[in-house]
Amino acid sequence: MVSRVRTIAFQGIEAVPVDVQIMIAPGKMGMQIVGLADKAVAESRERVQAALHASGLSMPPKKVTVNLAPADLPKEGSHYDLPIALGLMAALGAVPGDALAGYVVLGELSLDGTIAAVNGVLPAAIGANAMGKGLICPHACGSEAAWASAEIDILAPRSLIALANHFRGTQVMSRPEPAMGPPPGQWPDLAEIKGQETAKRALEVAAAGGHNLLMIGPPGAGKSMLAQRLPSILPPLAPKELLEVSMIASIAGELADGRLTDRRPFRAPHHSASMAAIVGGGLRARPGEASLAHHGVLFLDELPEFTPQVLDSLRQPLETAECVIARANHRVSYPARIQLIAAMNPCRCGMAGEPGHRCSRGPRCQADYQARISGPLLDRIDLRIDVPAVTAGDLIGVGRTEPSATVAARVARARSLQQQRYAAAGLPGWTTNAACSAAMIEEIVALDADGITLIRDASEKLGFSARAYHRVLKVARTLADLDEAEKVGRIHLAEAISYRVAGARIRGKPPTASQVAAGGSSDVLQQEGHQRSSASSRS
């Protein structure tokens, strides 16, 4: 007779059904696990035997075969311990086999029979609910599983004995309740930064539209401080976003005590991180920093210090909002709708372009350092700003500036307008202008004659690519949303173009006075945009 228990295998954040089949037959005593199992699954044999012995059961003096079907699907992880143990108990008559048929089971066994926490309980619970089954999981993960649905039947035992008593009716386990993490500490506030009004304006625009941002400036100018304060002006996660972010964190084992939080992720990997650490990969194709920052911020400080291969690996996630990890035997996809915030010095010594400083290597120092960033990656960054050094007058003469709460209120209003716009267009999955398609943004941003002339001349004179053209329109739409304006005006378009003009200096080719766009040089456009940002900051 064959006993069966349903469990799951993970492919990305997707839960794939796996059938655990147990057969006890005459033969040499022992247990054999088949079905393309990795080392952790093969070692389940010892853990299961010890846990059964600690629970008062013994292995039958026969041959035990465990088959994990489908046999050609790789099985990884320690969460197969509990389904194998329950299948054996059902075969021995310790638990009713028909009762297990309505559940998906996962959990790791300790040698004393207790059930330890495992990764991926939340996506497993969502998968079980989709199959119309309940879930048996470790007690430590019960509150995490409860977020999948209010109707799903969840058993979260502490040990094998507790689970057996529950099925025999001598002990009743209550359904775990979903739990939120403790109130997070306060993010650093924007009011602590003195000066840098243009940078603060760009940070607000980036937060309102979900745009990527690059800050270039000398050491000590406040680039990292600005980036660390971006989460303080971002809105909390929506319920759907919360589940998506938590599923990735669950797979990666980063949910503390199974508690969820609605705070947007902020990931800041060191520049020595490998490609697998950033976009995901490794032996078991785990999610990387880009996926762990899903619906949040990925901050890359000292951008040129990352290897060029690592930086270029972000080009596809920034465009498609997912990280695809392809291997010879499987293909895994993790969502990665991220907001990239980057900071860098203008050159190796960090002081190129600063008054009173002259680099010993001359322009070569700046050119070599900035050449580590590829043009295609730079083209995907919507906002590029210069962050000059803060003067003593900025530190002494300026009082406490606008707090994060005030800026966050404007960002929330702008995002609400975007959500309403895209929901009315039948696209509720789009919540920011940065996620809007090229065709849709052209339809939304209906420019007047002056605006068309301005964007055409700027595109021709500054050499905008098709991607840059559409990203300028997206930024302009965000600026109009911050002003709660129905239409995108010339002032919004000029400020959006000014952020691309600032980025032209990265390549050591600043726009010349002959690059005229709509009645003024690119320098005039940048001044017009910066005057606009200063006025907005003062208001």
Side-chain angles (χ1 to χ4, degrees):
M1 179 180 177
V2 177
S3 63
R4 300 172 183 269
V5 178
R6 181 60 61 90
T7 184
I8 50 93
F10 295 109
Q11 288 188 336
I13 60 174
E14 181 184 358
V16 180
V18 171
D19 196 23
V20 180
Q21 304 166 1
I22 311 289
M23 185 179 72
I24 301 176
K28 184 179 179 181
M29 180 179 178
M31 180 189 295
Q32 182 70 25
I33 301 176
V34 297
L36 209 57
D38 73 346
K39 184 66 173 177
V41 182
E43 291 174 347
S44 294
R45 177 176 56 249
E46 308 301 330
R47 292 191 294 271
V48 168
Q49 291 179 8
L52 289 177
H53 178 74
S55 303
L57 297 172
S58 60
M59 292 289 296
K62 296 182 179 181
K63 180 182 178 181
V64 177
T65 303
V66 179
N67 180 41
L68 307 178
D72 61 346
L73 178 69
K75 318 299 189 308
E76 302 173 340
S78 60
H79 65 274
Y80 293 96
D81 291 3
L82 186 56
I84 292 174
L86 289 180
L88 269 170
M89 294 172 71
L92 295 172
V95 295
D98 55 347
L100 294 176
Y103 291 94
V104 170
V105 184
L106 74 164
E108 178 184 333
L109 289 176
S110 300
L111 299 183
D112 60 356
T114 57
I115 304 174
V118 293
N119 298 341
V121 170
L122 180 58
I126 294 174
N129 188 45
M131 301 176 204
K133 295 182 178 293
L135 182 76
I136 299 177
C137 66
H139 178 79
C141 304
S143 59
E144 175 185 342
W147 283 98
S149 173
E151 288 78 25
I152 183 174
D153 183 16
I154 298 175
L155 299 178
R158 297 181 183 272
S159 65
L160 281 176
I161 295 176
L163 188 58
N165 290 338
H166 173 81
F167 284 123
R168 284 198 296 261
T170 59
Q171 178 181 347
V172 178
M173 285 184 290
S174 60
R175 186 184 189 277
E177 295 296 328
M180 290 292 293
Q186 292 294 323
W187 285 108
D189 200 283
L190 273 177
E192 300 167 359
I193 298 180
K194 297 183 179 181
Q196 303 295 11
E197 297 302 323
T198 299
K200 292 180 186 177
R201 169 66 172 177
L203 204 67
E204 179 181 345
V205 175
H211 303 291
N212 303 324
L213 169 66
L214 173 62
M215 296 177 283
I216 310 117
K223 303 183 295 296
S224 299
M225 289 182 65
L226 286 161
Q228 291 165 1
R229 282 151 180 78
L230 175 60
S232 68
I233 61 176
L234 290 173
L237 291 166
K240 182 180 178 181
E241 295 173 337
L242 174 63
L243 277 181
E244 292 179 4
V245 170
S246 300
M247 287 171 68
I248 300 172
S250 178
I251 291 290
E254 297 200 1
L255 282 184
D257 299 324
R259 297 174 180 269
L260 277 59
T261 175
D262 63 352
R263 173 171 283 187
R264 292 187 180 272
F266 181 84
R267 310 290 297 191
H270 191 261
H271 58 255
S272 61
S274 65
M275 187 184 301
I278 297 296
V279 298
L283 182 62
R284 299 175 60 184
R286 312 307 292 174
E289 294 291 329
S291 295
L292 291 170
H294 184 53
H295 288 309
V297 177
L298 178 64
F299 175 47
L300 301 184
D301 202 2
E302 306 297 346
L303 185 66
E305 297 298 332
F306 288 83
T307 61
Q309 293 80 6
V310 169
L311 293 180
D312 286 336
S313 69
L314 288 171
R315 285 155 57 176
Q316 183 189 12
L318 289 174
E319 200 70 25
T320 63
E322 67 174 351
C323 292
V324 178
I325 305 166
R327 296 293 182 265
N329 59 346
H330 65 287
R331 180 181 182 274
V332 176
S333 174
Y334 290 106
R337 186 170 294 282
I338 58 174
Q339 183 175 3
L340 177 64
I341 306 297
M344 60 176 284
N345 298 328
C347 67
R348 174 70 64 180
C349 62
M351 302 299 292
E354 289 299 302
H357 178 84
R358 183 176 180 181
C359 183
S360 58
R361 294 184 61 210
R364 181 71 179 271
C365 177
Q366 183 175 357
D368 289 350
Y369 192 64
Q370 296 178 359
R372 294 175 62 86
I373 307 172
S374 68
L377 175 63
L378 198 62
D379 200 39
R380 288 167 167 81
I381 299 178
D382 306 344
L383 309 173
R384 313 157 188 181
I385 59 170
D386 297 319
V387 183
V390 179
T391 65
D394 294 328
L395 297 175
I396 298 172
V398 180
R400 192 172 178 86
T401 58
E402 197 173 39
S404 292
T406 304
V407 180
R410 292 198 297 266
V411 169
R413 288 196 297 270
R415 288 216 174 192
S416 177
L417 290 174
Q418 294 168 53
Q419 292 173 6
Q420 294 172 16
R421 178 187 304 122
Y422 297 124
L427 302 167
W430 295 357
T431 57
T432 60
N433 290 324
C436 183
S437 67
M440 178 61 69
I441 197 64
E442 289 183 353
E443 180 180 339
I444 292 174
V445 181
L447 298 175
D448 55 16
D450 288 343
I452 293 174
T453 302
L454 175 59
I455 190 66
R456 179 191 295 118
D457 290 347
S459 298
E460 293 175 355
K461 303 301 181 182
L462 302 179
F464 287 169
S465 65
R467 180 187 291 112
Y469 169 83
H470 290 112
R471 287 180 180 261
V472 166
L473 294 182
K474 293 177 184 180
V475 174
R477 182 62 261 180
T478 299
L479 292 167
D481 290 335
L482 283 170
D483 288 345
E484 301 184 31
E486 182 177 352
K487 293 185 177 181
V488 174
R490 174 189 166 89
I491 192 69
H492 304 123
L493 204 56
E495 185 177 355
I497 293 172
S498 74
Y499 293 123
R500 304 293 297 199
V501 172
R505 295 193 175 93
I506 299 177
R507 291 298 174 194
K509 297 178 181 179
T512 62
S514 61
Q515 294 175 319
V516 178
S521 69
S522 57
D523 293 333
V524 173
L525 275 178
Q526 188 176 14
Q527 182 180 7
E528 182 179 351
H530 287 179
Q531 286 174 348
R532 166 70 174 170
S533 65
S534 299
S536 300
S537 299
R538 288 193 299 269
S539 63

